[in-house]
Amino acid sequence: MNVQSLPELIPQLSPFKWYGKVTRVIGLMIESKGPQASIGDLCYITTGKNSMTRVRAEVVGFRDEFVLLMPLNGISDIAPGSLVEATGRPLEIKIGTQLIGSIVDGCGELLTKESLPKGLSNFQTDNDPPNPIKRPRIKELMSLGVRSIDSLFTVGKGQRIGIFAGSGVGKSTLLSMLARNSEADVNIIALIGERGREVKDFIERDLGEEGLKRSIVVVATSDQPALMRIKGAMTATAIAEYFRQQGMDVNLMMDSVTRVAMAQREIGLAIGEPPTSKGYTPSVFAMLPRLLERSGTDEKGSITAFYTVLVDGDDLNEPISDAVRGILDGHLVLDRKLAQKGQFPAINVLKSVSRVMSDIVTEDHRKAAERLRYFVSVYEDNEDLINIGAYKKGSSPEIDQAIMMQPQIVSFLKQSTDENSTIDQSIQTLIKMLGNGGRS
């Protein structure tokens, strides 16, 4: 802290500390008589057995004169009468370029339990989205190194994309390819609600040493309290915002926003909210746009965001999928049938869309992408007839051409995890493939 700034901070200091006492605990919900606090404020609860141990908790609501808190870590040793101390401020984390290459928890602390590097800046985790009038329009391409995305669903710097898929269809693998191959200055990867085993698998096997060198990984595993999982998403977004303020182009990848919504549902139900659509509470649908709108462009830099959405039973119309799809600037749908055929990344060309692609690509590129989608659609509509031999060659020139182009299209869409294709290479290959040979 700068010594010269101390006089400016003195008026902000309170001469009082506010305290309360725990009255009861129901599940993960802690109810206390006092202290005076606001929604979102951080509190410390001194446990009964060891007065040196303090549990961090956040104010999430009120019931009559009682304060409702949710813990950021375990609630063991909390007893009736445990002292609750209000800090009068929300959770803050420490951020800086020294953290690049690190793995942190939902509160921004190193998972290795080591001390944070010196020289980091304090930064709040819950910030307002940029002013919509002051957001620059998306005009620049973002090279991601994934051929099918760069060519057919071209992403701009500051765009927000949803990756929709069921379990085991390749979401984590696709995220790792984006982290390693994209041209972003820094990657912020949030693993929310993951199994503990999968965290190290992703970091060592999928991300790798080279990917980690230009990334910060935020981890909040499934065994942690619901509030910690939400803080993991907030912390990752705050870190991305910090680097955007430095004028950087940031890639924010969150796996998955569905588990963030489930954590918010747990909290909502615990404080007495009514369940609405499929048990999700109203606060879930209020929290999602506030979280997702924080990414994007501002006057200084950009956050290009990828949010994975778990689709129960591959149903794209379940409540969270529907809400997220309406907020984001495009979506990629991973298809289980394509994955079973060995096509990775298993992106369904006909169900996926980039809403800003038409504003940032050339006319030749746009027409070639539309032509490829047309051939895929024609082939898919007639696939059953073709496979059983019921289609007679020459009956339709368009179907004949779609059959002829199918092997080239599949080869173009396939990409191994260690293969990097620049956006220029991908676009040139697409236009060449759909040139004279692709016209009817």
Side-chain angles (χ1 to χ4, degrees), residues 21-33 45 63-64 66-70 75 78-82 84 270-271:
K21 287 189 175 182
V22 172
T23 55
R24 66 174 176 172
V25 176
I26 303 174
L28 288 177
M29 180 60 59
I30 303 166
E31 188 178 278
S32 72
K33 181 78 171 179
I45 303 173
R63 183 179 292 127
D64 299 325
F66 295 100
V67 179
L68 305 179
L69 305 112
M70 291 286 283
I75 60 172
I78 292 179
S82 291
V84 182
I271 63 176

Side-chain angles (χ1 to χ4, degrees), residues 57-60 70-72 224-232 263 267:
E58 185 177 289
V59 179
V60 295
M70 291 286 283
L72 285 166
Q224 294 182 314
L227 187 62
M228 192 60 146
R229 282 173 266 150
I230 292 175
K231 286 301 174 189
I267 293 175

Side-chain angles (χ1 to χ4, degrees), residues 151-167:
S151 57
L152 300 178
F153 314 103
T154 311
V155 173
K157 291 180 181 179
Q159 188 173 352
R160 300 158 305 150
I161 294 284
I163 300 175
F164 294 75
S167 57

Side-chain angles (χ1 to χ4, degrees), residues 328-341:
L328 300 179
D329 307 317
H331 52 272
L332 304 172
V333 178
L334 303 189
D335 195 320
R336 191 175 300 278
K337 290 181 180 178
L338 295 177
Q340 290 169 346
K341 292 178 181 178

Side-chain angles (χ1 to χ4, degrees), residues 236-297:
T237 307
I239 295 173
E241 288 171 329
Y242 171 83
F243 287 110
R244 179 175 63 186
Q245 284 187 5
Q246 312 307 309
M248 295 186 181
D249 293 319
V250 185
N251 256 7
L252 170 63
M253 289 164 273
M254 189 176 295
D255 185 15
S256 72
V257 73
T258 305
R259 294 192 179 109
V260 178
M262 289 177 174
Q264 182 61 42
R265 177 175 63 181
E266 286 182 42
I267 293 175
L269 292 173
I271 63 176
E273 281 190 75
T276 53
S277 182
K278 283 201 172 180
Y280 288 100
T281 58
S283 63
V284 173
F285 301 101
M287 178 269 295
L288 283 175
R290 179 173 174 81
L291 174 65
L292 303 182
E293 285 288 345
R294 287 170 60 183
S295 53
T297 57

Side-chain angles (χ1 to χ4, degrees), residues 91-266:
L91 176 70
E92 289 185 344
I93 58 173
K94 292 185 177 295
I95 312 176
T97 53
Q98 303 94 314
L99 277 182
I100 296 176
S102 302
I103 305 165
V104 300
D105 64 13
C107 293
E109 297 169 357
L110 295 175
L111 274 188
T112 56
K113 304 301 181 185
E114 297 174 358
S115 299
L116 288 169
K118 294 181 179 180
L120 302 178
S121 304
N122 289 333
F123 205 81
Q124 285 194 8
T125 58
D126 192 1
N127 302 300
D128 293 328
N131 187 318
I133 300 299
K134 294 182 179 179
R135 279 187 189 262
R137 291 188 62 195
I138 298 171
K139 296 180 180 179
E140 290 186 63
L141 304 179
M142 169 67 82
S143 177
L144 300 173
V146 179
R147 190 163 47 241
S148 54
I149 300 177
D150 282 341
S151 57
L152 300 178
F153 314 103
T154 311
V155 173
K157 291 180 181 179
Q159 188 173 352
R160 300 158 305 150
I161 294 284
I163 300 175
F164 294 75
S167 57
V169 188
K171 297 185 300 300
S172 297
T173 303
L174 179 56
L175 287 183
S176 68
M177 292 174 69
L178 296 174
R180 290 196 306 271
N181 300 337
S182 79
E183 65 177 8
D185 298 318
V186 64
N187 299 306
I188 312 301
I189 305 169
L191 303 178
I192 310 299
E194 289 281 3
R195 305 175 188 90
R197 175 189 61 80
E198 291 180 338
V199 171
K200 198 163 187 180
D201 283 352
F202 176 83
I203 293 169
E204 294 186 355
R205 181 192 64 200
D206 296 332
L207 188 59
E209 187 177 344
E210 289 301 314
L212 185 59
K213 281 182 182 177
R214 53 197 296 262
S215 305
I216 298 175
V217 183
V218 181
V219 176
T221 49
S222 57
D223 60 295
Q224 294 182 314
L227 187 62
M228 192 60 146
R229 282 173 266 150
I230 292 175
K231 286 301 174 189
M234 296 289 187
T235 294
T237 307
I239 295 173
E241 288 171 329
Y242 171 83
F243 287 110
R244 179 175 63 186
Q245 284 187 5
Q246 312 307 309
M248 295 186 181
D249 293 319
V250 185
N251 256 7
L252 170 63
M253 289 164 273
M254 189 176 295
D255 185 15
S256 72
V257 73
T258 305
R259 294 192 179 109
V260 178
M262 289 177 174
Q264 182 61 42
R265 177 175 63 181
E266 286 182 42

Side-chain angles (χ1 to χ4, degrees), residues 374-393:
Y374 174 74
F375 284 135
V376 171
S377 175
V378 170
Y379 186 87
E380 193 172 289
D381 289 344
N382 297 276
E383 187 173 12
D384 291 340
L385 292 176
I386 296 167
N387 288 340
I388 65 174
Y391 173 74
K392 185 178 179 181
K393 187 177 180 180

